[in-house]
Amino acid sequence: EKQLFVDVVAHHCLAHDQFQELQKVILDFDPSLRRVQGYLNSVKEFLRDRRALDLLYSYEVFTKNYVNAGFLAIQLFIASSTWDARVGHLQNAEAHLGFAYRKLISKRKGYPEGKDSNSADVSEAGPTAAASQDASMHTSGDSMGMEGDMNEADIKRSLETVRIQMAVCEAMPTDMPHNAVLFGTMPAQCEVAELLMVAGHFRLSQKVIEFLDLPAVELCIRASNQIATTQARCP
């Protein structure tokens, strides 16, 4: 049945751009989403196989898998080319991962469902509607998603990485190469720290180096050499 659903319905929706309409039909049929969970997982797997990350992201939000949604937003950030889109995806990632983190804290501390230690609402409604609608990251097709795989420390670190990346985007909106991101390999992370130093954003560069445990001395030498070369070329 699930394979038939994918073969007929999912393929049709993808071909005719009707996945948003499918969400409405599913909600009308089963507002709890419990009876259709298996079908939704099959749809997610279908979208993942076709690298339809924007649609997969919307379905992770739709099914309230906020950790998955957060990491997909990061992946969309990496894939985006415009500054506005990249920052928007980072804002979504921060909203989803922040919600998932607060929810874990509430559960650990034994607060009533929907409240954290500051009485902030962390109900199943999730992040704000604005955040919800709008590479080597992880995704999962099961009903729990990564919320069942990642611990509090993992989510907290990922959330902090997102926030630092947002600060990098704001500090250097046009001069940072798109492949120089904090979610990539160490060379890419080092490039971010080095370019920040060369541009004079020393505190932010130091924060990146300390948070990611990058080779500080080597990066300082490289940045100093680049600054000296640039100054020597100026009359």
Side-chain angles (χ1 to χ4, degrees):
E1 287 185 1
K2 296 181 183 66
Q3 188 57 50
L4 181 62
F5 181 80
V6 169
D7 290 342
V8 177
V9 178
H11 277 87
H12 175 84
C13 289
L14 185 62
H16 297 86
D17 193 23
Q18 292 183 331
F19 267 102
Q20 299 300 326
E21 286 75 9
L22 179 59
Q23 288 184 8
K24 298 174 184 176
V25 172
I26 290 172
L27 270 181
D28 288 340
F29 175 75
D30 179 20
S32 72
L33 302 183
R34 292 189 181 93
R35 287 183 292 165
V36 297
Q37 185 63 62
Y39 293 92
L40 286 169
N41 289 342
S42 297
V43 167
K44 291 179 187 179
E45 195 64 36
F46 169 81
L47 295 173
R48 186 176 301 111
D49 289 344
R50 281 150 185 79
R51 302 295 296 171
L53 298 184
D54 52 344
L55 291 172
L56 179 57
Y57 165 77
S58 73
Y59 269 75
E60 294 293 6
V61 176
F62 177 61
T63 55
K64 300 178 182 178
N65 285 338
Y66 295 118
V67 175
N68 278 13
F71 280 104
L72 276 165
I74 292 172
Q75 204 164 350
L76 288 167
F77 155 78
I78 294 171
S80 297
S81 57
T82 66
W83 186 86
D84 286 344
R86 286 164 70 84
V87 171
H89 291 312
L90 286 176
Q91 290 172 340
N92 287 342
E94 182 186 29
H96 297 311
L97 293 176
F99 174 79
Y101 179 62
R102 293 191 301 273
K103 191 175 177 183
L104 280 178
I105 290 178
S106 296
K107 184 176 180 181
R108 173 171 56 82
K109 293 185 176 181
Y111 289 103
E113 184 69 22
K115 298 292 181 180
D116 66 9
S117 56
N118 297 317
S119 297
D121 187 5
V122 290
S123 68
E124 286 299 320
T128 63
S132 298
Q133 292 170 359
D134 243 272
S136 58
M137 293 297 109
H138 311 283
T139 54
S140 171
D142 58 33
S143 59
M144 284 298 293
M146 290 197 66
E147 292 189 47
D149 301 328
M150 296 190 69
N151 59 35
E152 186 179 311
D154 292 332
I155 297 176
K156 181 180 180 181
R157 183 169 180 82
S158 298
L159 179 60
E160 183 61 24
T161 305
V162 168
R163 288 170 174 165
I164 297 175
Q165 181 66 66
M166 289 176 68
V168 171
C169 288
E170 291 169 359
M172 299 184 67
T174 58
D175 299 327
M176 186 69 68
H178 287 163
N179 60 345
V181 295
L182 303 183
F183 309 105
T185 61
M186 180 175 283
Q189 296 169 343
C190 288
E191 185 178 6
V192 172
E194 182 181 345
L195 290 174
L196 284 170
M197 246 186 284
V198 172
H201 301 289
F202 301 112
R203 289 186 179 179
L204 184 54
S205 178
Q206 181 180 4
K207 188 173 185 178
V208 169
I209 291 171
E210 291 177 349
F211 182 74
L212 297 174
D213 195 23
L214 301 177
V217 174
E218 177 186 341
L219 288 173
C220 286
I221 293 174
R222 282 165 45 180
S224 297
N225 291 339
Q226 191 169 335
I227 292 171
T229 301
T230 301
Q231 291 176 341
R233 290 174 179 170
C234 295

